[in-house]
Amino acid sequence: MLRILYVAPRYHTNQIPIAEGLINNGYYVRFLVMYKGVTENYEALKPDILKPTFKIKALYYMILKRKGKVYAENWMLRNYKPGYIQVLRYLINLKPDIVIIRERSRQSRIVYMCCKLLGINKVILYNQKPINVYEWKGKRFKELLSKFAFPQVRYSPVKYINLLSDSTQSYPSHENHHAYFAPFVQEANVLEGEKQYGTGGIIRVLDVGKYRNYKNHKILVEAVSLMKEKENFHVTIIGQVSNKDEQDYFDNLASMIKDKNLQDTFTLLKNIPYRQMVPLYKEHDIFVLPSKKEVASISVLEAMANGLCTISTDNNGTAFYVSEGNAGLTFDNNSAQDLANKLTYLVNNPESIRFYGGNAIKHIQDNCGFNNYLESLKHIVKTEFEYNL
């Protein structure tokens, strides 16, 4: 049985359909991670935890006490460093055929170096930077360091990012024969023509994201406050609250909604388990991703898979799925008025919601199934390593 090892900070929900698909197709899959998240699902597999060195762990707890959970978590992502002996033992026991590491991090560097020591040469870098962008412009030293410390073969679920704030911008296409596109995996949960919109005469809007500042939920509240027509219109925000910082943001958001007298228009939910999200997506008509910046939001594809007309922030790696599929709209992430205008247009043109939602389902069916991902991965492995996956 061919063994595939993924190495990442955590077993993110966007990797669940990939792991399930590989396992169902007869592959042996393991995930080696730094920590476990709040809303993860372990039905397909339970990730293995890499313990940090004592020094890193001690520094983390000092920062946690002084700076709080969110700051400490971000610090750990940048500085996490497992012991070489621990990683070597794990790799020797597992004997992976393919190793896929997430980002150019200290964790990934150590795993890659251990792979080289053990003669494991089929190692692929997975990140979410657009494949048509030269990563090292003006960074010659980092490019040279990367060639030694990380694999040169990489794939990304992002083709390009096109910011509305500079719609004339053309990202440079760099001749990189070792960068490949492999889509996020989403299976459509409804069929074209099956989904009902505006049930009961109410248009329902959904926003999903951690209760943190960069998720920018407040711009959605501001946008709704600018809309003249709010009847038969409801917004649900679902997010993670796992620490004081997130609870503070949640409380401030609730206060903002109250101050604008929008309590009847908004519902705030916390910590919904992964498997309970599909029914919630199905209950809604429009999905909004309001984030200030998203490297590549999987919630956009989850919404499309459930037939929602999608409005994405322009500063998001997965916005191109919406554009290519003609599955919705994008808005200027700095403009509440622009978002208000897009919402108003859809509310006044409900047939557009149905049109975009139907396109979303078709795009997911045609481009984001597990077989699309598997064929991409097979192509990468065959092209780069002359190996049949």
Side-chain angles (χ1 to χ4, degrees):
M1 182 181 293
L2 195 143
R3 295 169 176 256
I4 302 177
L5 172 64
Y6 288 83
V7 182
R10 70 180 183 94
Y11 181 41
H12 197 286
T13 53
N14 63 32
Q15 299 299 291
I16 291 174
I18 291 174
E20 290 178 340
L22 289 169
I23 291 169
N24 291 337
N25 278 268
Y27 297 96
Y28 183 80
V29 181
R30 297 308 311 162
F31 261 81
L32 187 60
V33 302
M34 291 166 42
Y35 66 96
K36 294 181 179 180
V38 176
T39 59
E40 292 173 8
N41 179 283
Y42 303 138
E43 292 177 12
L45 64 80
K46 184 178 180 180
D48 303 316
I49 305 293
L50 265 179
K51 296 180 181 179
T53 61
F54 176 79
K55 179 181 177 181
I56 293 295
K57 193 172 182 179
L59 286 170
Y60 169 77
Y61 282 113
M62 288 175 59
I63 293 169
L64 176 65
K65 188 174 181 180
R66 294 178 181 177
K67 299 284 190 176
K69 180 72 172 179
V70 173
Y71 186 95
E73 181 181 296
N74 290 330
W75 179 89
M76 182 62 97
L77 286 172
R78 294 191 304 271
N79 295 280
Y80 179 89
K81 185 179 180 182
Y84 278 88
I85 299 300
Q86 177 189 187
V87 175
L88 285 168
R89 284 176 177 170
Y90 183 88
L91 292 172
I92 290 170
N93 289 331
L94 181 61
K95 298 181 177 65
D97 298 289
I98 307 290
V99 179
I100 299 172
I101 60 176
R102 178 80 165 89
E103 298 293 351
R104 294 181 179 90
S105 64
R106 291 188 176 187
Q107 174 194 24
S108 294
R109 186 183 70 232
I110 290 172
V111 172
Y112 181 58
M113 291 300 179
C114 289
C115 285
K116 292 176 75 172
L117 285 172
L118 296 174
I120 302 171
N121 57 13
K122 292 182 281 294
V123 186
I124 302 169
L125 175 71
Y126 158 51
N127 65 18
Q128 295 174 352
K129 293 183 178 180
I131 62 169
N132 70 326
V133 173
Y134 180 35
E135 295 184 273
W136 306 113
K137 186 176 182 180
K139 302 176 182 178
R140 182 62 177 166
F141 174 75
K142 286 188 176 182
E143 180 180 14
L144 292 172
L145 179 64
S146 176
K147 286 182 177 180
F148 172 76
F150 300 99
Q152 296 307 293
V153 180
R154 80 171 178 102
Y155 74 78
S156 170
V158 179
K159 290 182 180 179
Y160 56 85
I161 296 177
N162 184 22
L163 299 179
L164 284 178
S165 55
D166 187 6
S167 59
T168 61
Q169 182 173 356
S170 176
Y171 278 81
S173 179
H174 179 64
E175 190 70 17
N176 182 352
H177 299 294
H178 303 291
Y180 300 83
F181 172 74
F184 274 131
V185 175
Q186 282 293 317
E187 302 293 343
N189 293 311
V190 290
L191 300 175
E192 288 184 78
E194 179 182 83
K195 183 176 173 62
Q196 299 298 311
Y197 297 89
T199 305
I202 299 174
I203 294 176
R204 295 174 173 84
V205 178
L206 181 64
D207 168 14
V208 178
K210 294 177 182 179
Y211 287 109
R212 295 189 181 182
N213 183 57
Y214 81 96
K215 289 295 185 180
N216 211 20
H217 299 298
K218 292 179 180 179
I219 200 173
L220 177 56
V221 177
E222 184 65 33
V224 172
S225 73
L226 295 173
M227 295 173 64
K228 295 179 180 179
E229 300 175 13
K230 302 185 185 69
E231 294 182 3
N232 303 322
F233 178 81
H234 191 83
V235 181
T236 300
I237 301 178
I238 300 174
Q240 170 186 298
V241 174
S242 63
N243 55 64
K244 184 179 182 301
D245 291 333
E246 291 169 350
Q247 183 63 56
D248 288 345
Y249 186 93
F250 178 91
D251 293 339
N252 289 334
L253 185 64
S255 295
M256 180 182 181
I257 291 170
K258 184 177 180 181
D259 291 343
K260 293 183 179 294
N261 197 29
L262 294 172
Q263 302 97 310
D264 294 336
T265 305
F266 280 84
T267 298
L268 303 184
L269 300 177
K270 305 177 186 177
N271 301 334
I272 302 297
Y274 175 74
R275 292 299 182 194
Q276 292 181 22
M277 284 302 300
V278 169
L280 286 168
Y281 276 117
K282 287 183 176 180
E283 291 173 3
H284 291 80
D285 308 301
I286 300 171
F287 178 80
V288 176
L289 180 77
S291 307
K292 295 177 181 178
K293 183 177 182 180
E294 284 281 355
V295 177
S297 168
I298 190 63
S299 59
V300 163
L301 279 81
E302 292 172 344
M304 291 172 61
N306 288 283
L308 277 73
C309 164
T310 298
I311 303 177
S312 171
T313 170
D314 59 328
N315 201 358
N316 165 40
T318 54
F320 84 90
Y321 289 89
V322 179
S323 299
E324 288 193 350
N326 196 18
L329 307 167
T330 52
F331 80 98
D332 181 348
N333 70 94
N334 294 309
S335 174
Q337 186 62 64
D338 188 31
L339 179 55
N341 293 343
K342 300 292 169 60
L343 286 168
T344 298
Y345 168 77
L346 292 172
V347 169
N348 291 335
N349 297 275
E351 69 281 358
S352 293
I353 300 175
R354 188 175 297 105
F355 171 76
Y356 286 131
N359 287 348
I361 296 169
K362 188 176 188 308
H363 189 75
I364 293 294
Q365 289 174 328
D366 293 345
N367 300 279
C368 299
F370 171 74
N371 285 334
N372 297 91
Y373 172 85
L374 182 58
E375 288 306 310
S376 296
L377 189 59
K378 284 181 176 180
H379 173 69
I380 296 168
V381 173
K382 178 67 175 177
T383 302
E384 294 290 343
F385 307 115
E386 298 183 353
Y387 186 82
N388 292 318
L389 192 60

